[in-house]
Amino acid sequence: MKDKIDFVIPWVDGGDPEWKKEKDYYSEKKSLEDDDRNIRFRDWETLKYWFRGVEKNAPWVNQIHFITWGHLPEWLNVTHPKLHIVNHKDYIPAQYLPTFSSHVIELNMHRIPRLSEHFVYFNDDIFILKPLSDSDFFQNGIPCDLCVANAITPRLGEFSSIILQTTSYINKHFNKKQDIKKNFKKWFSPKYRSLLFRTICLIPWTFHTGFYNHHLAVPYKKSTLKTVWREEPDILVRTCNHRFRNDLDVNQYIFRYWRLASGDFVPHEILGKYKNMGEDNSAIYDAIKNCSYKLLCINDKDNQVNFEIEKRKLIEAFEKVFPKKSQFEL
């Protein structure tokens, strides 16, 4: 019998007046390192296409844990047997609430009631455009991933400091040379293709300089999260005490990097593509209409984007691929 695989996806309605009132209250108390920009919370109204993609291309999923502050899309069929509505209060310890940080939501995922040992974490901007197999995420109970070394690039306004902090804790517990020696074939799998050159170029560095982040859905074992919480509670608690994403945080990658460094993964090719919305988004719309990738992450990071116009174009592209309602919709 195959292991049950759940999906976990958080969502926020940035236009909810009650949520905004609470966020604005805490924004007045934020520190200089906190990130409360509205761009982190605006809704492109594309969530229904995430569900349509799951129903069409990953029908094998056991359960979907839909994390929310308390609001729900008006079109969502909350009685769907595979849907589990999870309020922040249902699993995040009370001392960390309310939270407006994705890091707090992610770092506590192992506490979600009824969550299976094997699950895949999605952001709501990662869409399934082609059929996926459960073996794309787990094989014999082991997460599938690509383990590629990377150099952290310091950039203002990005999350370089968070990745640096996260990698520092991996170096506290793991030895790069020993990690590679024990799992040489996993580190140098031909499935990584040209990305292998990153690892080769960074061999001279004694410590882990970072790991390549594909910005796509990530498979996890609940037990990995529990292990990291047991080994490094202080930094996780400190992160969870930040109401907003903070430059001094670690993020969910601490769990991914932990299992990569420990060799707890099966080498796998990259499943999709990460793209940023910008001035010219024609390549994104074409990728959707042509179903160019199994997974497509459409990142919202540009305040200069004409939001309403680009949102309409994005919805039009998804409608061509997923024109019919899923059973997750009323």
Side-chain angles (χ1 to χ4, degrees):
M1 180 179 176
K2 284 190 174 183
D3 296 307
K4 294 179 179 179
I5 301 174
D6 290 351
F7 287 172
V8 175
I9 176 173
W11 175 79
V12 64
D13 178 3
D16 184 324
E18 289 300 314
W19 176 86
K20 286 186 69 176
K21 181 180 178 181
E22 190 170 64
K23 173 183 172 288
D24 290 344
Y25 172 79
Y26 285 99
S27 288
E28 294 178 0
K29 306 172 184 291
K30 75 181 183 70
S31 70
L32 291 174
E33 294 83 13
D34 287 341
D35 184 357
D36 69 337
R37 291 175 297 162
N38 289 328
I39 194 172
R40 298 224 167 272
F41 308 102
R42 61 185 180 182
D43 183 13
W44 287 80
E45 299 181 29
T46 52
L47 181 66
K48 64 179 64 175
Y49 305 109
W50 184 86
F51 280 100
R52 293 180 190 184
V54 170
E55 183 175 87
K56 181 178 180 181
N57 296 317
W60 44 264
V61 65
N62 175 57
Q63 195 166 42
I64 297 170
H65 302 274
F66 185 66
I67 301 173
T68 169
W69 171 86
H71 36 228
L72 292 169
E74 59 182 13
W75 49 263
L76 188 64
N77 175 16
V78 297
T79 64
H80 192 289
K82 286 191 175 184
L83 185 62
H84 177 211
I85 306 298
V86 185
N87 191 295
H88 291 176
K89 298 175 182 177
D90 294 335
Y91 79 103
I92 299 175
Q95 63 265 35
Y96 308 140
L97 295 175
T99 186
F100 308 93
S101 169
S102 60
H103 298 162
V104 183
I105 291 167
E106 295 165 348
L107 294 183
N108 290 281
M109 289 187 291
H110 61 294
R111 308 183 201 274
I112 295 174
R114 308 204 312 261
L115 179 68
S116 66
E117 165 68 1
H118 301 86
F119 68 95
V120 183
Y121 177 65
F122 283 81
N123 292 126
D124 64 0
D125 59 0
I126 299 171
F127 300 91
I128 306 175
L129 300 180
K130 286 183 176 182
L132 285 168
S133 168
D134 55 359
S135 61
D136 283 322
F137 294 113
F138 290 93
Q139 294 180 19
N140 297 318
I142 302 174
C144 298
D145 209 338
L146 62 161
C147 184
V148 174
N150 201 31
I152 297 170
T153 307
R155 288 185 293 173
L156 293 173
E158 301 289 341
F159 70 151
S160 312
S161 60
I162 295 168
I163 297 301
L164 178 61
Q165 175 97 327
T166 302
T167 306
S168 296
Y169 280 90
I170 297 304
N171 280 318
K172 177 182 173 182
H173 290 270
F174 296 93
N175 180 292
K176 179 184 173 183
K177 287 187 176 180
Q178 292 180 8
D179 299 340
I180 294 178
K181 185 177 181 180
K182 285 187 294 185
N183 296 286
F184 186 86
K185 290 183 178 179
K186 291 185 177 183
W187 277 83
F188 292 93
S189 170
K191 293 183 178 181
Y192 308 153
R193 300 182 182 181
S194 61
L195 288 171
L196 269 175
F197 287 107
R198 296 184 183 225
T199 301
I200 295 170
C201 290
L202 291 167
I203 283 178
W205 274 260
T206 306
F207 295 96
H208 289 293
T209 57
F211 295 85
Y212 177 78
N213 299 313
H214 46 59
H215 294 281
L216 297 169
V218 182
Y220 285 121
K221 293 194 296 188
K222 188 164 60 173
S223 54
T224 303
L225 278 67
K226 291 179 179 179
T227 296
V228 179
W229 266 95
R230 183 179 67 248
E231 296 294 328
E232 284 297 341
D234 290 349
I235 184 57
L236 297 178
V237 167
R238 190 168 75 199
T239 297
C240 289
N241 277 319
H242 293 147
R243 300 286 182 193
F244 298 94
R245 197 162 100 166
N246 187 288
D247 289 343
L248 301 177
D249 287 351
V250 295
N251 70 356
Q252 54 133 337
Y253 289 150
I254 195 170
F255 306 133
R256 177 173 176 252
Y257 295 173
W258 190 283
R259 65 167 169 73
L260 291 178
S262 63
D264 187 24
F265 69 97
V266 175
H268 202 280
E269 67 270 14
I270 196 165
L271 289 174
K273 195 77 171 179
Y274 169 90
K275 291 181 176 291
N276 288 313
M277 293 294 285
E279 291 184 8
D280 181 7
N281 299 303
S282 55
I284 294 177
Y285 305 140
D286 288 343
I288 295 170
K289 294 173 186 176
N290 298 325
C291 295
S292 302
Y293 313 100
K294 288 185 176 182
L295 294 173
L296 177 64
C297 178
I298 307 171
N299 189 45
D300 179 16
K301 64 178 294 185
D302 189 349
N303 263 320
Q304 305 307 313
V305 167
N306 190 318
F307 181 64
E308 293 301 328
I309 290 177
E310 297 304 319
K311 180 170 71 172
R312 175 177 53 79
K313 291 180 179 179
L314 194 58
I315 290 173
E316 288 175 355
F318 275 119
E319 278 292 331
K320 291 192 178 295
V321 179
F322 302 118
K324 296 182 180 179
K325 284 184 178 182
S326 72
Q327 293 182 20
F328 292 98
E329 298 170 65
L330 296 173

